[in-house]
């Protein structure tokens, strides 16, 4: 039974896509770095808990729907993924934090349910815009990043905390 996709397991590979078995609990550091992977699918009963640092850095990943069981994404996990357009976080997600450092030099739309917006931590040395598309709303808004936390209430008013 496969539990861990080890460090560098598919780095630099020509693999286009993969469906991970539900038994996988961790994707190791650099596991898919610099690979040609375009899609990664998770079973509905996925037990994935951790995506390691740099797991998909510089890959050709196009989009990803994270499994609800996921609770940790490492630094630069999706950085420098120039083809990455959408990251979807499910309504029942167990993620403990979402931060810009997970996606440096990538500009995906992060689809986040309104109930989970308090998980988002914005911190950056650059004044860049990060796009967040509401999962249950029909608009997109832009937030400049510069070392601040943001929480959005049910009426979608932005407040600094």
């Amino acid at each position: 039974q496969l539990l861990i996709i080890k460090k560098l397991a598919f780095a630099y590979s020509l693999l286009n896509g993969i469906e991970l078995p539900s038994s996988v609990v961790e994707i190791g550091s650099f596991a898919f770095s610099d690979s040609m992977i375009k899609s990664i699918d998770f079973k509905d009963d996925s037990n994935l808990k951790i995506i390691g640092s740099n797991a998909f850095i510089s890959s050709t990943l196009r989009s990803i729907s994270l499994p609800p069981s996921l609770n940790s994404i490492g630094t630069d996990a999706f950085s420098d993924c120039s083809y990455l357009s959408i990251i979807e976080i499910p309504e029942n997600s167990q993620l403990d934090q979402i931060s810009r450092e997970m996606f440096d030099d990538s500009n995906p739309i992060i689809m986040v349910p309104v109930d989970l917006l308090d998980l988002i931590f914005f911190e950056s040395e650059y004044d860049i815009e990060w796009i967040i598309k509401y999962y249950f709303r029909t608009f997109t808004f832009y937030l400049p990043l510069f070392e601040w936390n943001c929480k959005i209430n049910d009426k979608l008013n932005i407040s600094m905390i």
Side-chain angles (χ1 to χ4, degrees), residues 99-101 103-107 122-131 141-148:
S99 71
R100 178 64 191 170
E101 66 184 11
F103 314 102
D104 277 345
D105 297 322
S106 297
N107 290 304
F122 297 96
E123 182 177 359
S124 178
E125 59 193 58
Y126 306 107
D127 188 17
I128 32 183
E129 292 180 336
W130 195 25
I131 303 169
F141 72 99
Y142 302 84
L143 296 172
L145 305 178
F146 198 76
E147 295 187 20
W148 52 277

Side-chain angles (χ1 to χ4, degrees), residues 66-70 89-95 113 116:
L66 300 174
S69 59
L70 184 66
I89 298 168
E91 184 177 355
N92 54 347
S93 177
Q94 295 178 24
L95 271 174
L116 300 179

Side-chain angles (χ1 to χ4, degrees), residues 50-153:
I50 299 167
I51 294 178
S53 300
N54 304 287
F56 294 92
I57 193 167
S58 301
S59 73
T60 59
L61 191 64
R62 306 282 199 239
S63 65
I64 188 168
S65 294
L66 300 174
S69 59
L70 184 66
N71 57 33
S72 176
I73 299 175
T75 303
D76 293 321
F78 298 99
S79 291
D80 200 26
C81 292
S82 57
Y83 296 99
L84 185 59
S85 60
I86 295 175
I87 297 175
E88 186 174 355
I89 298 168
E91 184 177 355
N92 54 347
S93 177
Q94 295 178 24
L95 271 174
D96 55 7
Q97 181 175 303
I98 304 165
S99 71
R100 178 64 191 170
E101 66 184 11
M102 298 170 184
F103 314 102
D104 277 345
D105 297 322
S106 297
N107 290 304
I109 292 175
I110 313 295
M111 297 178 68
V112 184
V114 172
D115 295 351
L116 300 179
L117 286 175
D118 60 342
L119 298 179
I120 300 172
F121 178 72
F122 297 96
E123 182 177 359
S124 178
E125 59 193 58
Y126 306 107
D127 188 17
I128 32 183
E129 292 180 336
W130 195 25
I131 303 169
I132 297 177
K133 183 167 184 152
Y134 283 99
Y135 197 69
F136 300 112
R137 302 293 190 255
T138 57
F139 66 92
T140 301
F141 72 99
Y142 302 84
L143 296 172
L145 305 178
F146 198 76
E147 295 187 20
W148 52 277
N149 287 330
C150 174
K151 184 170 183 175
I152 301 175
N153 66 24

Side-chain angles (χ1 to χ4, degrees), residues 13 20 67 110:
S13 77
L20 292 184
I110 313 295

Side-chain angles (χ1 to χ4, degrees), residues 8-70:
L8 299 167
F10 295 100
Y12 300 97
S13 77
L14 300 177
L15 182 71
N16 278 317
I18 190 170
E19 182 175 357
L20 292 184
S22 58
S23 60
V24 173
V25 294
E26 180 178 347
I27 296 174
S29 298
F30 298 96
F32 293 92
S33 65
D34 297 285
S35 71
M36 298 300 289
I37 193 161
K38 291 179 179 62
S39 66
I40 184 165
D41 295 314
F42 303 97
K43 299 227 181 242
D44 289 339
D45 61 344
S46 174
N47 289 301
L48 185 69
K49 301 286 185 207
I50 299 167
I51 294 178
S53 300
N54 304 287
F56 294 92
I57 193 167
S58 301
S59 73
T60 59
L61 191 64
R62 306 282 199 239
S63 65
I64 188 168
S65 294
L66 300 174
S69 59
L70 184 66

